[in-house]
Amino acid sequence: NAGVTQTPKFRVLKTGQSMTLLCAQDMNHEYMYWYRQDPGMGLRLIHYSVGEGTTAKGEVPDGYNVSRLKKQNFLLGLESAAPSQTSVYFCASRKDSLSYGYTFGSGTRLTVV
Amino acid sequence: AQKITQTQPGMFVQEKEAVTLDCTYDTSDQSYGLFWYKQPSSGEMIFLIYQGSYDEQNATEGRYSLNFQKARKSANLVISASQLGDSAMYFCAMRGPFRQGAQKLVFGQGTRLTINP
């Protein structure tokens, strides 16, 4: 049982490049979330999804896009990376609206130079 | 809007001492949940303990307990008999009512705990 898997684990991008972060869960969870973690600011929500085919904006959505074409996958895209997007990105999932547990991936460390 | 405040950026504690990490929250909802997570230097987020707003007793999980004071809107984490392996970043987080869709987690800024031998 892999839980929540994030790929890649590390990445260095040049300003203006694009990339996609993949979050995959094998627990049949309905809800999925993307957070970014910056020093002194905790984790902030970028986008989230309450089910296959749905996405919604979180607290800091600018510069990011997401898609959830399959229930098990939640993709986070950076169309034109900026140094301000240097961060650690976490994906999390949750079974349904009545469960209290959140399962986190191990994170992706992204550096934009 | 929900808000979590952790006012201790860093704490240093001697091994085997008990430690309290502070967390205050702000919400207008009556139903909510409070979490504590540990993030060691390896980076993963480890769930420690959960307290529901309607739970009458403070949550406990092994050496961890949550000192829930609803009127003061505080949810402090208490670690008894600290160990070197407890050195990590600790985050307090809150989710909103179950009726509110995705119940997004809102996090505090974190407290870096260092246990000295």
Side-chain angles (χ1 to χ4, degrees):
Chain A
N1 188 348
V4 176
T5 303
Q6 292 184 232
T7 53
K9 296 191 183 308
F10 302 93
R11 185 73 186 268
V12 178
L13 280 181
K14 294 183 178 179
T15 298
Q17 286 185 322
S18 64
M19 78 163 295
T20 300
L21 282 67
L22 171 63
C23 176
Q25 52 94 4
D26 61 359
M27 300 169 286
N28 201 35
H29 284 183
E30 289 293 334
Y31 295 176
M32 297 185 75
Y33 311 82
W34 274 109
Y35 287 89
R36 61 176 288 173
Q37 180 182 7
D38 302 293
M41 304 186 75
L43 279 74
R44 294 179 293 167
L45 184 65
I46 305 171
H47 286 280
Y48 63 97
S49 168
V50 299
E52 181 178 309
T54 75
T55 62
K57 294 180 180 180
E59 181 186 359
V60 288
D62 293 344
Y64 305 95
N65 57 75
V66 287
S67 65
R68 192 153 177 215
L69 299 179
K70 294 183 178 181
K71 187 176 183 179
Q72 64 267 35
N73 295 336
F74 195 28
L75 279 64
L76 179 70
L78 288 74
E79 290 189 347
S80 180
S84 61
Q85 294 177 304
T86 294
S87 188
V88 180
Y89 293 85
F90 283 97
C91 177
S93 71
R94 184 156 164 259
K95 180 180 180 182
D96 54 36
S97 62
L98 296 180
S99 63
Y100 76 83
Y102 297 76
T103 303
F104 281 83
S106 57
T108 294
R109 184 174 295 275
L110 176 66
T111 302
V112 182
V113 297
Chain B
Q2 299 169 328
K3 186 177 180 181
I4 294 282
T5 302
Q6 295 179 253
T7 58
Q8 306 154 311
M11 285 193 68
F12 295 85
V13 174
Q14 287 298 118
E15 189 179 10
K16 300 182 183 178
E17 288 184 351
V19 57
T20 297
L21 304 182
D22 294 341
C23 172
T24 58
Y25 61 91
D26 188 23
T27 181
S28 57
D29 296 308
Q30 297 301 310
S31 172
Y32 50 88
L34 295 156
F35 299 75
W36 277 93
Y37 287 89
K38 173 183 179 180
Q39 186 180 46
S41 57
S42 52
E44 71 268 31
M45 297 290 287
I46 301 170
F47 166 74
L48 295 179
I49 198 166
Y50 169 81
Q51 178 89 37
S53 60
Y54 292 121
D55 294 340
E56 294 185 350
Q57 293 197 344
N58 287 344
T60 61
E61 291 284 351
R63 294 187 299 114
Y64 305 106
S65 61
L66 197 152
N67 185 1
F68 182 46
Q69 298 190 29
K70 198 169 183 176
R72 293 186 176 185
K73 292 189 175 180
S74 74
N76 298 340
L77 177 71
V78 180
I79 307 174
S80 63
S82 58
Q83 302 171 355
L84 295 179
D86 294 332
S87 293
M89 181 74 83
Y90 289 81
F91 290 101
C92 180
M94 176 170 61
R95 62 132 184 93
F98 284 125
R99 59 176 168 77
Q100 278 187 2
Q103 296 107 50
K104 299 158 279 186
L105 275 180
V106 175
F107 285 82
Q109 306 94 315
T111 295
R112 182 167 297 281
L113 176 64
T114 302
I115 307 297
N116 296 315

